[in-house]
Amino acid sequence: MGEFELIERHFVRATPRAALGPGDDCALLAPAPGQALAITSDMLLEGRHFLATVPPARLGHKALAVNLSDLAACGAKPLAFTLALSLPRADEAFAAALAQGLFALADAHGIELVGGDTTAGALSLCITAIGEVPAGGALLRNGARAGDQLWVSGCLGDARLALEVFRGHAALAAADFEAVRLAMECPQPRVALGLALRGLATSAIDLSDGLLGDLGHILRRSRVGARLELAALPCSAVLAAQPRALREECLLRGGDDYELLFTAPAARAAEVRAAGAAAGVAVTPIGLIGAAPDLVLVDEDGREGLAAARGFDHFA
Ligand code: ADP
Ligand code: MG
């Protein structure tokens, strides 16, 4: 099977919402009047972003999910995406499963694959997702203000716990491992929450490189500091049962959470809770923004310390 047959068979579907879908030199989209386009790319490389053991349907899901998570963090509504795919060979079963996971998530969000590129090579996927947000209405990293509450969606650290099990650094019962593996391989982008936070959150970011590092991006861009309560961090029962050092590492520095971290004025806490309820995801207050530029971490025993707001860095 050749390149064009593989694309036609597995990746080209009807795209009634796009002005022009795959098959020509460019796709065409027509944004609604008054809307800005939100555009984001994330690539996944085998051995760096995923393990060879990942089922291909989950890989297709995750490649799109991490991009939708970036749109969610901006409060953008997803419209369409492109897929640049590199595959070692034209493996029918692999391509079919990959496409199944990819399109299941695309369909859940009502978005279309409008184009891409396909080449032979080491397995990698690069998706560019396109969304729309009212001009001037995007959630950004630079709007946190002293006195705002700091919130996070869902629960943190399970993806990192799964990675530690794959690395042989931790062991879990089979059902617990399946649960955290699902968090690592099938993250749920918080798109509905991002939309519900428009006009309410003062800043937002999605958590991909660990809580401390991603919080650091908000603090630096907003020129503020924060006081973070470790005991308040939302965590699954499986992670809660782990030894303290591992649990803290997963919660504070674990990557791949794809939850939203955001700030909102303290007086609007009830509206934030209502936004979470409307979006069907838990939202938890985990600290406060302060004027001084430090990140103060309050540990489970109430002891305070200064934390380094650094996350995962591919070149560090
Ligand atoms: P060009 O050489 O003009 O860049 P290609 O030959 O790479 O075009 O691709 C042909 C068409 O197939 C284009 O419209 C492109 O968007 C689409 N396409 C290629 N790969 C994919 C893919 N993985 N998923 C969806 N569409 C794709
Ligand atoms: Mg091309």
Side-chain angles (χ1 to χ4, degrees):
M1 190 181 41
E3 170 189 336
F4 297 104
E5 216 186 323
L6 185 92
I7 297 168
E8 279 294 327
R9 189 170 307 172
H10 297 290
F11 296 104
V12 175
R13 304 197 321 182
T15 54
R17 280 177 294 268
L20 181 65
D24 215 300
D25 292 304
C26 292
L28 299 174
L29 299 177
Q35 302 281 313
L37 290 181
I39 301 168
T40 181
S41 296
D42 255 317
M43 53 181 163
L44 297 187
L45 308 185
E46 183 173 328
R48 182 142 297 269
H49 303 97
F50 61 90
L51 305 172
T53 48
V54 65
R58 290 189 182 182
L59 182 60
H61 170 102
K62 185 166 179 176
L64 182 56
V66 302
N67 280 278
L68 296 186
S69 180
D70 282 315
L71 291 183
C74 283
K77 178 176 174 293
L79 292 178
F81 64 105
T82 64
L83 168 66
L85 176 64
S86 155
L87 284 172
R89 56 201 170 84
D91 179 337
E92 273 285 314
F94 184 90
L98 185 81
Q100 184 267 318
L102 181 76
F103 283 118
L105 184 63
D107 290 345
H109 290 273
I111 62 171
E112 299 172 339
L113 175 57
V114 295
D117 196 21
T118 306
T119 148
L123 181 58
S124 79
L125 295 91
C126 179
I127 285 181
T128 296
I130 301 144
E132 61 181 16
V133 62
L139 304 178
L140 302 176
R141 298 177 178 185
N142 65 4
R145 294 292 171 259
D148 282 354
Q149 266 181 312
L150 183 64
W151 295 80
V152 73
S153 66
C155 59
L156 305 180
D158 281 353
R160 174 63 180 277
L161 179 58
L163 184 61
E164 293 302 313
V165 175
F166 273 113
R167 286 172 170 166
H169 299 165
L172 292 176
D176 290 347
F177 175 55
E178 264 319 304
V180 295
R181 182 177 182 181
L182 202 63
M184 178 173 101
E185 295 179 340
C186 265
Q188 297 302 320
R190 303 305 187 188
V191 172
L193 180 62
L195 294 177
L197 291 174
R198 281 181 185 172
L200 176 56
T202 50
S203 71
I205 190 171
D206 71 315
L207 294 176
S208 52
D209 295 334
L211 174 63
L212 288 185
D214 289 327
L215 173 57
H217 292 305
I218 286 189
L219 300 185
R220 278 187 292 275
R221 294 290 289 274
S222 300
R223 299 170 186 275
V224 292
R227 184 185 163 87
L228 185 64
E229 305 275 347
L230 200 50
L233 298 182
C235 147
S236 69
V238 176
L239 184 56
Q242 300 308 304
R244 180 171 176 163
L246 175 62
R247 190 173 68 240
E248 290 190 2
E249 180 67 15
C250 292
L251 286 171
L252 293 174
R253 276 172 284 272
D256 266 6
D257 286 317
Y258 300 106
E259 295 296 346
L260 295 187
L261 177 71
F262 59 96
T263 56
R268 302 189 72 180
E271 290 167 82
V272 172
R273 291 191 190 282
V281 59
V283 288
T284 308
I286 60 171
L288 278 179
I289 299 297
D294 313 316
L295 174 53
V296 176
L297 195 58
V298 184
D299 78 8
E300 291 173 354
D301 304 318
R303 277 194 299 264
E304 290 185 8
L306 284 181
R310 272 196 302 275
F312 181 77
D313 177 340
H314 280 284
F315 295 107

